[in-house]
Amino acid sequence: MKNVSNKIAPIRSVKGTRDLLPPETGLWQRVEDESRRTFAAYNFQEIRTPILEATALFSRSVGEDTDIVMKEMYTFDDRDRESLTLRPEATASVVRAYIEHSLFNEGRLHKLYYIGPMFRRERPQKGRYRQFYQIGAEVLGSDHPSIDAEMLEMLVLLLERLGLSGFSLLLNSVGCSKCRPQYVKTLRQALQSVKANMCADCQRRADTNPLRVLDCKVEADQPIIERLPHIVEHLDPECRQHFDAVTADLDERGVAYTLSPRLVRGLDYYTRTTFEITSSVLGAQNALLGGGRYDGLSEMIGGPPTPGFGVAIGEDRLVLAVAEAAKDKTGPAASQLDVYIAWMGDAALAPATVLARQLRRDGLRVEIGYEPAKLKKSLGLASKLGARFAVIIGEGELSTGRYQVKDMSAGAQKELEPAQIAEYLKAALAK
Ligand code: HAM
């Protein structure tokens, strides 16, 4: 629009947030539909929790000491001074809901999934936003290693169904509250003699939170980190047995993985299995999804002991990866519109409207313009909209009672009675 006055500066979206527009939203829907279908096959049901939560929920579960809680949360005091936070993740919310509704009393497993926005004040870049979307799944009520393996199998199936390849499943165990403190002590000791040669962050973390040193991305620190002791070599017998059972189960299911001794993840609630799937098409932000076991999380937020295992997929990144994969194979996205109805002359509008309603009821995707237009303009619009067919209704068609059905790519035209058009189009579109 050229004539808009420029006196008022247009208001723009907030940094790190974005509008998702069609046709890209079609891809988001496809990713969500495929996720729901795959989750249903593994007997997951949907849970919807609020986006606003009490701040304490995240400081207690994700951890006071983590980047998320220390510097990335959108936290504010409500008018009655209650501290609220826009959720930076949803596992804590799901476990809160599980406790609040006493789902543990039902004496069975709960398999829950969610899809929705999360908020973290990170530095925006490709694949990293301040409002981003996660597709997550959580299993509450069992610490059986097959729960871990089954979910990983499900994730691989989902990625394959979405046409992805070239991803790797990285796997580790971070032990439990019994064996991890001993490992952290060993790690802290090992760091004392080398930390002087490491980056400033690592020097600080070596004392405050030595596990985080393993996450460091600074190039010069990598050879030092490679030589630090591995947590999997310090697991207690129960954690060791659990991890061996998970890997044996994955082998049986034919799910490929790479052991990744440095994978400790950025949230404090994890116990035992941790994992990520990375994708080679994503660039710097290559973690497509991540998760693990959190057997102590329920107790951290005041619930009964409840083992849990879950994942969150970064939907923004998954959509990016699916778009990349589709580019190689199928070219541009398929047309969204089946038919455009082109009518000429006032008398044709009413029958055109009736036909549009019939075709829509028959499940076809139909557009009709309401402004009078010449045939050439209507057909121009039909191709701009990507319509596969156009139905032409003018004076001649009204007098014979047979409409012209035009195949927009082949150019061929066929004359049909209105009642025959839906069947004809459905058959042609199915080819
Ligand atoms: P997370 O690793 O913090 O785990 O996030 C999971 C995924 O969300 C990441 O692998 C990434 O794909 C995506 N993600 C994270 N931050 C951003 C961002 N700023 N922009 C775009 N995508 C992002 C969790 O959130 C845990 N709740 C996962 C879990 C579920 N663990 C157990 N159950």
Side-chain angles (χ1 to χ4, degrees), residues 357-409:
R357 189 178 67 211
Q358 277 169 0
L359 297 183
R360 285 169 170 158
R361 287 184 178 202
D362 273 316
L364 294 163
R365 294 167 298 185
V366 180
E367 189 55 285
I368 171 170
Y370 291 109
E371 298 294 340
K374 298 236 165 67
L375 181 60
K376 196 168 163 212
K377 188 167 172 204
S378 287
L379 291 181
L381 202 56
S383 54
K384 203 184 254 176
L385 292 173
R388 301 270 308 275
F389 288 88
V391 176
I392 301 164
I393 314 175
E395 225 173 281
E397 286 75 22
L398 286 179
S399 67
T400 59
R402 293 166 75 83
Y403 302 167
Q404 301 288 339
V405 179
K406 184 180 172 75
D407 182 326
M408 293 297 291
S409 53

Coordinates of all heavy atoms in Angstrom, one line a residue, residues 357-409:
R357 N -20.4 -23.9 -2.8 CA -20.9 -24.5 -1.6 C -20.9 -26.1 -1.7 O -20.4 -26.8 -0.9 CB -22.2 -24.0 -1.2 CG -22.6 -24.5 0.2 CD -23.9 -24.0 0.7 NE -25.0 -24.5 -0.1 CZ -26.2 -23.9 -0.4 NH1 -26.4 -22.7 0.0 NH2 -27.1 -24.5 -1.1
Q358 N -21.4 -26.5 -2.9 CA -21.5 -28.0 -3.1 C -20.1 -28.6 -3.1 O -19.8 -29.6 -2.5 CB -22.1 -28.3 -4.5 CG -23.6 -28.3 -4.4 CD -24.2 -28.3 -5.8 OE1 -23.5 -28.3 -6.8 NE2 -25.5 -28.2 -5.9
L359 N -19.2 -28.0 -3.9 CA -17.8 -28.5 -4.0 C -17.1 -28.5 -2.6 O -16.4 -29.5 -2.3 CB -17.0 -27.8 -5.0 CG -17.5 -27.8 -6.4 CD1 -16.6 -27.0 -7.4 CD2 -17.7 -29.2 -7.0
R360 N -17.3 -27.5 -1.8 CA -16.7 -27.4 -0.5 C -17.2 -28.5 0.4 O -16.5 -29.1 1.1 CB -16.9 -26.0 0.1 CG -16.0 -25.0 -0.5 CD -16.4 -23.6 -0.1 NE -15.4 -22.6 -0.6 CZ -15.6 -21.3 -0.8 NH1 -16.8 -20.8 -0.5 NH2 -14.6 -20.5 -1.1
R361 N -18.6 -28.7 0.3 CA -19.2 -29.8 1.1 C -18.6 -31.2 0.7 O -18.6 -32.1 1.5 CB -20.7 -29.8 1.0 CG -21.3 -28.6 1.7 CD -22.8 -28.7 1.7 NE -23.3 -27.6 2.5 CZ -24.5 -27.5 3.0 NH1 -25.3 -28.5 2.8 NH2 -24.9 -26.5 3.7
D362 N -18.2 -31.3 -0.5 CA -17.6 -32.5 -1.0 C -16.2 -32.6 -0.7 O -15.5 -33.6 -1.2 CB -17.8 -32.6 -2.6 CG -19.2 -33.2 -2.9 OD1 -19.5 -34.2 -2.2 OD2 -19.9 -32.7 -3.8
G363 N -15.6 -31.7 0.1 CA -14.3 -31.8 0.5 C -13.2 -31.2 -0.4 O -12.0 -31.3 -0.1
L364 N -13.6 -30.5 -1.4 CA -12.7 -29.8 -2.3 C -12.3 -28.5 -1.7 O -13.0 -27.8 -1.0 CB -13.2 -29.7 -3.7 CG -13.5 -31.0 -4.4 CD1 -14.4 -30.9 -5.6 CD2 -12.1 -31.6 -4.8
R365 N -11.1 -28.0 -2.1 CA -10.6 -26.7 -1.6 C -10.9 -25.7 -2.8 O -10.4 -25.8 -3.9 CB -9.1 -26.7 -1.3 CG -8.8 -27.6 -0.1 CD -7.4 -27.9 0.0 NE -6.9 -28.7 -1.2 CZ -5.6 -29.1 -1.3 NH1 -4.8 -29.0 -0.3 NH2 -5.3 -29.8 -2.4
V366 N -11.8 -24.7 -2.5 CA -12.5 -23.9 -3.5 C -12.3 -22.5 -3.2 O -12.4 -22.0 -2.0 CB -14.0 -24.3 -3.6 CG1 -14.7 -23.4 -4.6 CG2 -14.2 -25.8 -3.8
E367 N -12.1 -21.6 -4.2 CA -12.1 -20.2 -4.0 C -13.0 -19.6 -5.1 O -13.1 -20.1 -6.2 CB -10.7 -19.6 -4.1 CG -10.6 -18.1 -3.8 CD -11.1 -17.8 -2.4 OE1 -12.4 -17.8 -2.2 OE2 -10.3 -17.6 -1.5
I368 N -13.7 -18.5 -4.7 CA -14.6 -17.8 -5.6 C -14.4 -16.3 -5.4 O -14.3 -15.9 -4.2 CB -16.0 -18.3 -5.5 CG1 -17.0 -17.4 -6.3 CG2 -16.5 -18.3 -4.0 CD1 -18.4 -17.9 -6.4
G369 N -14.2 -15.5 -6.4 CA -14.1 -14.1 -6.2 C -15.4 -13.4 -6.3 O -16.3 -13.9 -7.0
Y370 N -15.7 -12.4 -5.5 CA -17.0 -11.8 -5.5 C -17.0 -10.5 -6.3 O -18.1 -10.0 -6.6 CB -17.5 -11.6 -4.0 CG -17.8 -12.9 -3.4 CD1 -17.0 -13.4 -2.4 CD2 -18.9 -13.6 -3.8 CE1 -17.2 -14.6 -1.8 CE2 -19.1 -14.9 -3.2 CZ -18.3 -15.4 -2.2 OH -18.6 -16.6 -1.7
E371 N -15.8 -10.0 -6.6 CA -15.8 -8.8 -7.5 C -16.0 -9.2 -8.9 O -15.4 -10.2 -9.4 CB -14.5 -8.0 -7.4 CG -14.2 -7.5 -6.0 CD -15.1 -6.4 -5.5 OE1 -15.8 -5.8 -6.4 OE2 -15.2 -6.2 -4.3
P372 N -16.9 -8.6 -9.7 CA -17.1 -9.0 -11.1 C -15.7 -8.8 -11.9 O -15.0 -7.9 -11.6 CB -18.1 -7.9 -11.7 CG -18.7 -7.3 -10.5 CD -17.7 -7.4 -9.4
A373 N -15.4 -9.8 -12.7 CA -14.2 -9.7 -13.5 C -14.3 -10.4 -14.8 O -15.2 -11.3 -15.0 CB -13.1 -10.4 -12.7
K374 N -13.5 -10.0 -15.8 CA -13.5 -10.6 -17.1 C -12.8 -12.0 -17.0 O -12.1 -12.2 -16.0 CB -12.7 -9.7 -18.1 CG -13.3 -8.4 -18.3 CD -13.6 -8.2 -19.8 CE -14.5 -7.0 -20.1 NZ -13.9 -5.7 -19.7
L375 N -13.1 -12.9 -17.9 CA -12.5 -14.2 -17.9 C -11.0 -14.2 -17.7 O -10.4 -14.9 -16.9 CB -12.9 -15.0 -19.2 CG -12.4 -16.4 -19.2 CD1 -13.0 -17.2 -18.0 CD2 -12.8 -17.1 -20.5
K376 N -10.3 -13.4 -18.5 CA -8.8 -13.4 -18.5 C -8.3 -13.1 -17.1 O -7.4 -13.7 -16.6 CB -8.3 -12.3 -19.5 CG -6.9 -12.6 -19.8 CD -6.5 -11.7 -21.1 CE -5.0 -11.7 -21.1 NZ -4.5 -10.5 -21.6
K377 N -9.0 -12.1 -16.5 CA -8.5 -11.7 -15.1 C -8.8 -12.8 -14.1 O -7.9 -13.1 -13.3 CB -9.2 -10.4 -14.7 CG -8.7 -9.8 -13.5 CD -9.2 -8.4 -13.2 CE -8.7 -8.0 -11.8 NZ -9.5 -7.0 -11.2
S378 N -10.0 -13.4 -14.2 CA -10.3 -14.5 -13.3 C -9.3 -15.7 -13.4 O -8.9 -16.2 -12.5 CB -11.7 -15.0 -13.6 OG -12.6 -14.1 -13.1
L379 N -9.0 -16.0 -14.7 CA -8.1 -17.1 -14.9 C -6.7 -16.8 -14.4 O -5.9 -17.6 -13.9 CB -8.1 -17.6 -16.4 CG -9.3 -18.2 -16.9 CD1 -9.2 -18.6 -18.3 CD2 -9.7 -19.4 -16.0
G380 N -6.3 -15.5 -14.6 CA -5.0 -15.0 -14.1 C -4.9 -15.2 -12.6 O -3.9 -15.7 -12.0
L381 N -6.0 -14.8 -11.9 CA -6.1 -15.0 -10.5 C -6.0 -16.5 -10.1 O -5.3 -16.8 -9.1 CB -7.4 -14.4 -10.0 CG -7.5 -13.9 -8.5 CD1 -6.3 -13.0 -8.2 CD2 -8.8 -13.2 -8.3
A382 N -6.8 -17.3 -10.8 CA -6.8 -18.7 -10.5 C -5.3 -19.3 -10.6 O -4.9 -20.1 -9.7 CB -7.7 -19.5 -11.5
S383 N -4.6 -18.9 -11.6 CA -3.2 -19.4 -11.6 C -2.3 -18.8 -10.5 O -1.5 -19.5 -10.0 CB -2.6 -19.4 -13.0 OG -2.6 -18.1 -13.5
K384 N -2.6 -17.5 -10.2 CA -1.8 -16.9 -9.1 C -2.0 -17.7 -7.8 O -1.1 -17.8 -7.0 CB -2.2 -15.5 -9.0 CG -1.2 -14.6 -8.3 CD -1.7 -13.2 -8.1 CE -1.1 -12.2 -9.0 NZ -1.6 -10.9 -8.9
L385 N -3.2 -18.1 -7.6 CA -3.6 -18.9 -6.4 C -3.1 -20.3 -6.4 O -3.3 -21.1 -5.5 CB -5.1 -18.8 -6.1 CG -5.7 -17.4 -5.8 CD1 -7.2 -17.5 -5.7 CD2 -5.1 -16.9 -4.4
G386 N -2.6 -20.7 -7.6 CA -2.2 -22.1 -7.7 C -3.3 -23.1 -7.9 O -3.1 -24.3 -7.5
A387 N -4.5 -22.7 -8.4 CA -5.6 -23.6 -8.5 C -5.3 -24.7 -9.6 O -4.7 -24.4 -10.6 CB -6.9 -22.8 -8.9
R388 N -5.7 -25.9 -9.3 CA -5.4 -27.0 -10.3 C -6.5 -26.9 -11.4 O -6.2 -27.3 -12.5 CB -5.5 -28.3 -9.6 CG -4.5 -28.5 -8.4 CD -3.2 -29.1 -8.9 NE -3.4 -30.3 -9.6 CZ -3.5 -31.5 -9.1 NH1 -3.5 -31.7 -7.8 NH2 -3.7 -32.6 -9.9
F389 N -7.7 -26.5 -11.0 CA -8.8 -26.4 -12.0 C -9.5 -25.0 -11.9 O -9.5 -24.4 -10.8 CB -9.8 -27.5 -11.8 CG -9.3 -28.9 -12.2 CD1 -8.6 -29.7 -11.3 CD2 -9.5 -29.3 -13.5 CE1 -8.1 -30.9 -11.7 CE2 -9.0 -30.6 -13.9 CZ -8.3 -31.3 -13.0
A390 N -10.1 -24.6 -13.0 CA -11.1 -23.5 -12.9 C -12.4 -23.9 -13.5 O -12.4 -24.7 -14.4 CB -10.5 -22.3 -13.7
V391 N -13.5 -23.5 -12.8 CA -14.8 -23.8 -13.4 C -15.3 -22.4 -14.0 O -15.3 -21.4 -13.2 CB -15.8 -24.3 -12.4 CG1 -17.2 -24.5 -13.0 CG2 -15.3 -25.6 -11.8
I392 N -15.7 -22.4 -15.3 CA -16.1 -21.2 -15.9 C -17.6 -21.1 -16.1 O -18.2 -22.1 -16.6 CB -15.3 -21.0 -17.3 CG1 -13.8 -21.0 -17.0 CG2 -15.8 -19.7 -18.0 CD1 -13.0 -21.3 -18.3
I393 N -18.2 -20.1 -15.6 CA -19.7 -20.0 -15.7 C -20.0 -18.6 -16.3 O -19.8 -17.6 -15.6 CB -20.4 -20.1 -14.3 CG1 -19.8 -21.3 -13.6 CG2 -21.9 -20.2 -14.5 CD1 -20.4 -21.5 -12.2
G394 N -20.4 -18.5 -17.5 CA -20.8 -17.3 -18.2 C -22.1 -17.4 -18.8 O -22.8 -18.4 -18.5
E395 N -22.5 -16.5 -19.6 CA -23.8 -16.5 -20.2 C -24.1 -17.8 -21.0 O -25.2 -18.4 -20.8 CB -23.9 -15.3 -21.2 CG -25.2 -14.5 -21.1 CD -25.1 -13.3 -22.0 OE1 -24.4 -12.3 -21.6 OE2 -25.6 -13.3 -23.1
G396 N -23.1 -18.2 -21.8 CA -23.3 -19.4 -22.6 C -23.5 -20.6 -21.7 O -24.4 -21.4 -22.0
E397 N -22.7 -20.8 -20.7 CA -22.8 -21.9 -19.8 C -24.2 -21.9 -19.1 O -24.8 -23.0 -18.9 CB -21.7 -21.9 -18.7 CG -20.3 -22.3 -19.2 CD -19.7 -21.2 -20.0 OE1 -20.1 -20.0 -19.9 OE2 -18.8 -21.5 -20.9
L398 N -24.7 -20.7 -18.7 CA -26.0 -20.7 -18.0 C -27.1 -21.1 -19.0 O -28.0 -21.8 -18.6 CB -26.3 -19.2 -17.6 CG -25.4 -18.8 -16.3 CD1 -25.8 -17.4 -16.0 CD2 -25.6 -19.7 -15.2
S399 N -26.9 -20.8 -20.3 CA -28.0 -21.2 -21.2 C -28.0 -22.7 -21.5 O -29.1 -23.3 -21.6 CB -28.0 -20.3 -22.4 OG -26.8 -20.6 -23.2
T400 N -26.8 -23.3 -21.6 CA -26.8 -24.7 -21.8 C -26.9 -25.6 -20.5 O -27.2 -26.8 -20.6 CB -25.5 -25.2 -22.5 OG1 -24.4 -24.8 -21.6 CG2 -25.3 -24.5 -23.8
G401 N -26.7 -24.9 -19.4 CA -26.7 -25.7 -18.1 C -25.5 -26.6 -18.0 O -25.4 -27.4 -17.1
R402 N -24.5 -26.4 -18.8 CA -23.2 -27.1 -18.7 C -22.1 -26.1 -18.5 O -21.9 -25.2 -19.3 CB -23.0 -28.0 -19.9 CG -24.1 -29.1 -20.0 CD -24.1 -29.7 -21.4 NE -22.9 -30.6 -21.6 CZ -22.9 -31.9 -21.2 NH1 -23.9 -32.4 -20.6 NH2 -21.8 -32.6 -21.5
Y403 N -21.2 -26.4 -17.4 CA -20.1 -25.5 -17.2 C -18.8 -26.0 -17.7 O -18.6 -27.2 -17.9 CB -19.9 -25.3 -15.6 CG -21.2 -24.8 -14.9 CD1 -21.2 -24.8 -13.5 CD2 -22.3 -24.3 -15.6 CE1 -22.3 -24.4 -12.8 CE2 -23.4 -23.8 -14.9 CZ -23.4 -23.9 -13.5 OH -24.5 -23.5 -12.8
Q404 N -17.9 -25.0 -18.0 CA -16.6 -25.4 -18.5 C -15.6 -25.7 -17.3 O -15.5 -24.9 -16.4 CB -15.9 -24.3 -19.3 CG -16.7 -23.8 -20.5 CD -16.7 -24.8 -21.6 OE1 -15.8 -25.6 -21.7 NE2 -17.7 -24.7 -22.5
V405 N -15.0 -26.9 -17.3 CA -14.0 -27.2 -16.3 C -12.6 -27.2 -16.9 O -12.4 -28.0 -17.8 CB -14.3 -28.6 -15.6 CG1 -13.3 -28.9 -14.6 CG2 -15.7 -28.5 -15.0
K406 N -11.8 -26.3 -16.5 CA -10.5 -26.1 -17.2 C -9.4 -26.7 -16.3 O -9.2 -26.3 -15.1 CB -10.3 -24.7 -17.5 CG -9.0 -24.3 -18.3 CD -8.9 -22.8 -18.4 CE -7.6 -22.4 -19.1 NZ -7.6 -22.7 -20.5
D407 N -8.5 -27.5 -16.9 CA -7.3 -28.0 -16.2 C -6.3 -26.9 -16.3 O -5.8 -26.7 -17.5 CB -6.9 -29.3 -16.8 CG -5.6 -29.9 -16.1 OD1 -4.8 -29.1 -15.7 OD2 -5.5 -31.1 -16.1
M408 N -5.9 -26.3 -15.3 CA -5.0 -25.1 -15.4 C -3.6 -25.4 -15.9 O -3.0 -24.5 -16.5 CB -5.0 -24.4 -14.0 CG -6.3 -23.8 -13.5 SD -6.9 -22.5 -14.6 CE -5.7 -21.2 -14.3
S409 N -3.1 -26.6 -15.6 CA -1.7 -26.8 -16.1 C -1.8 -27.4 -17.6 O -1.0 -27.0 -18.4 CB -0.9 -27.7 -15.2 OG -1.6 -28.9 -14.9

